[in-house]
Amino acid sequence: AADDFDWPREQGFRVVQAEECWHKSLVSLMDEVREQIGPDHPVYISFDIDGIDPSYAPGTGTVEIGGLTVPQALEIVRGCRGLNIVGGDLVEVSPPYDMCGNTSLLGASLLYEMLCVLPEVHYR
Protein backbone atom coordinates (compact mmCIF):
# COMPACT_ATOMS: atom_id res chain seq x y z
CA ALA A 1 0.00 0.00 0.00
CA ALA A 2 3.04 2.29 0.03
CA ASP A 3 2.17 3.30 -3.53
CA ASP A 4 -1.07 4.79 -2.18
CA PHE A 5 1.04 7.51 -0.59
CA ASP A 6 3.15 8.37 -3.65
CA TRP A 7 0.63 10.79 -5.15
CA PRO A 8 0.16 12.87 -1.96
CA ARG A 9 3.94 13.04 -1.52
CA GLU A 10 4.32 14.19 -5.14
CA GLN A 11 1.85 17.00 -4.32
CA GLY A 12 4.06 18.13 -1.44
CA PHE A 13 2.16 16.56 1.44
CA ARG A 14 4.02 15.14 4.44
CA VAL A 15 2.57 11.65 4.93
CA VAL A 16 2.91 10.23 8.44
CA GLN A 17 1.94 6.58 8.70
CA ALA A 18 0.67 5.10 11.96
CA GLU A 19 3.81 3.04 12.50
CA GLU A 20 5.82 6.25 12.74
CA CYS A 21 3.65 7.30 15.70
CA TRP A 22 3.91 4.15 17.77
CA HIS A 23 5.45 4.41 21.25
CA LYS A 24 6.00 8.16 21.23
CA SER A 25 4.49 11.54 21.86
CA LEU A 26 3.25 13.51 18.86
CA VAL A 27 4.05 16.93 20.33
CA SER A 28 7.14 17.36 18.12
CA LEU A 29 5.15 16.32 15.03
CA MET A 30 2.53 18.96 15.80
CA ASP A 31 5.30 21.55 16.35
CA GLU A 32 6.42 20.72 12.80
CA VAL A 33 2.85 21.04 11.50
CA ARG A 34 2.37 24.46 13.11
CA GLU A 35 5.72 25.64 11.75
CA GLN A 36 4.92 24.52 8.20
CA ILE A 37 1.37 25.89 8.12
CA GLY A 38 1.97 29.12 10.02
CA PRO A 39 -0.52 31.15 12.06
CA ASP A 40 -2.39 32.82 9.19
CA HIS A 41 -3.22 30.06 6.69
CA PRO A 42 -6.83 28.82 7.11
CA VAL A 43 -7.00 25.29 8.54
CA TYR A 44 -9.89 22.83 8.61
CA ILE A 45 -9.51 19.91 11.03
CA SER A 46 -11.12 16.63 9.98
CA PHE A 47 -10.60 13.82 12.47
CA ASP A 48 -11.48 10.25 11.49
CA ILE A 49 -12.24 8.21 14.62
CA ASP A 50 -11.07 4.98 12.95
CA GLY A 51 -7.53 6.38 13.06
CA ILE A 52 -7.65 5.58 16.77
CA ASP A 53 -6.93 2.02 17.83
CA PRO A 54 -10.14 -0.03 18.25
CA SER A 55 -9.17 -0.86 21.84
CA TYR A 56 -10.17 2.77 22.53
CA ALA A 57 -12.75 3.36 19.77
CA PRO A 58 -14.42 0.16 18.55
CA GLY A 59 -17.57 1.93 17.34
CA THR A 60 -16.57 2.62 13.76
CA GLY A 61 -17.20 0.97 10.44
CA THR A 62 -13.56 0.32 9.59
CA VAL A 63 -11.56 -0.76 12.63
CA GLU A 64 -7.79 -0.90 12.13
CA ILE A 65 -5.46 -2.26 14.77
CA GLY A 66 -2.30 -0.31 15.50
CA GLY A 67 -3.99 3.09 15.45
CA LEU A 68 -3.38 6.12 17.61
CA THR A 69 -3.86 6.13 21.36
CA VAL A 70 -6.23 8.57 23.03
CA PRO A 71 -3.35 10.66 24.44
CA GLN A 72 -1.89 10.89 20.91
CA ALA A 73 -5.26 12.02 19.53
CA LEU A 74 -5.37 14.71 22.21
CA GLU A 75 -1.82 15.78 21.34
CA ILE A 76 -2.84 16.17 17.69
CA VAL A 77 -5.93 18.25 18.40
CA ARG A 78 -4.30 20.33 21.16
CA GLY A 79 -1.27 20.74 18.90
CA CYS A 80 -3.48 22.72 16.50
CA ARG A 81 -3.65 25.58 19.02
CA GLY A 82 -2.17 28.65 17.40
CA LEU A 83 -3.32 27.73 13.90
CA ASN A 84 -6.03 29.69 12.10
CA ILE A 85 -8.73 27.03 12.55
CA VAL A 86 -11.76 27.90 10.42
CA GLY A 87 -13.76 24.72 11.05
CA GLY A 88 -13.63 21.04 11.79
CA ASP A 89 -15.44 17.76 12.00
CA LEU A 90 -15.13 14.28 13.41
CA VAL A 91 -16.33 11.36 11.30
CA GLU A 92 -16.91 7.60 11.31
CA VAL A 93 -18.44 7.20 14.80
CA SER A 94 -21.00 4.37 14.61
CA PRO A 95 -22.74 3.84 17.99
CA PRO A 96 -24.39 0.52 16.99
CA TYR A 97 -20.90 -1.02 16.81
CA ASP A 98 -20.02 0.08 20.36
CA MET A 99 -22.46 -1.02 23.03
CA CYS A 100 -20.54 0.62 25.90
CA GLY A 101 -20.53 4.06 24.25
CA ASN A 102 -16.80 4.74 24.60
CA THR A 103 -16.42 5.74 20.95
CA SER A 104 -19.20 8.32 21.15
CA LEU A 105 -17.73 9.71 24.37
CA LEU A 106 -14.29 9.92 22.79
CA GLY A 107 -15.72 11.56 19.66
CA ALA A 108 -17.59 14.16 21.72
CA SER A 109 -14.49 14.81 23.81
CA LEU A 110 -12.31 15.32 20.74
CA LEU A 111 -14.88 17.72 19.26
CA TYR A 112 -14.83 19.67 22.54
CA GLU A 113 -11.03 19.79 22.31
CA MET A 114 -11.34 21.13 18.74
CA LEU A 115 -13.57 23.93 20.00
CA CYS A 116 -10.95 24.75 22.62
CA VAL A 117 -8.25 25.38 19.98
CA LEU A 118 -10.31 27.79 17.88
CA PRO A 119 -8.47 31.11 17.38
CA GLU A 120 -10.77 33.26 19.54
CA VAL A 121 -10.65 30.97 22.58
CA HIS A 122 -8.86 32.65 25.48
CA TYR A 123 -6.90 30.62 28.03
CA ARG A 124 -6.46 31.58 31.64
Side-chain angles (χ1 to χ4, degrees):
D3 293 340
D4 292 342
F5 298 113
D6 289 343
W7 187 85
R9 287 184 177 119
E10 290 168 2
Q11 307 311 306
F13 287 94
R14 164 100 151 74
V15 176
V16 180
Q17 294 181 265
E19 293 85 1
E20 296 176 59
C21 301
W22 290 350
H23 311 295
K24 64 181 173 184
S25 168
L26 302 183
V27 170
S28 62
L29 174 63
M30 293 312 297
D31 290 343
E32 179 186 331
V33 167
R34 280 193 316 280
E35 182 180 316
Q36 288 182 359
I37 293 175
D40 300 321
H41 190 77
V43 174
Y44 186 92
I45 304 171
S46 184
F47 202 106
D48 195 327
I49 202 80
D50 65 17
I52 297 176
D53 192 84
S55 62
Y56 302 102
T60 185
T62 315
V63 293
E64 293 287 339
I65 63 166
L68 300 171
T69 65
V70 171
Q72 288 174 320
L74 290 170
E75 287 175 334
I76 289 170
V77 174
R78 291 176 181 176
C80 291
R81 183 176 177 204
L83 294 174
N84 181 22
I85 309 294
V86 297
D89 63 46
L90 184 130
V91 297
E92 294 293 325
V93 173
S94 181
Y97 291 133
D98 182 10
M99 293 308 180
C100 68
N102 285 346
T103 308
S104 295
L105 175 61
L106 176 57
S109 297
L110 289 172
L111 284 169
Y112 171 79
E113 294 285 337
M114 286 183 200
L115 292 173
C116 291
V117 298
L118 289 172
E120 298 301 315
V121 174
H122 299 285
Y123 295 86
R124 292 189 240 170

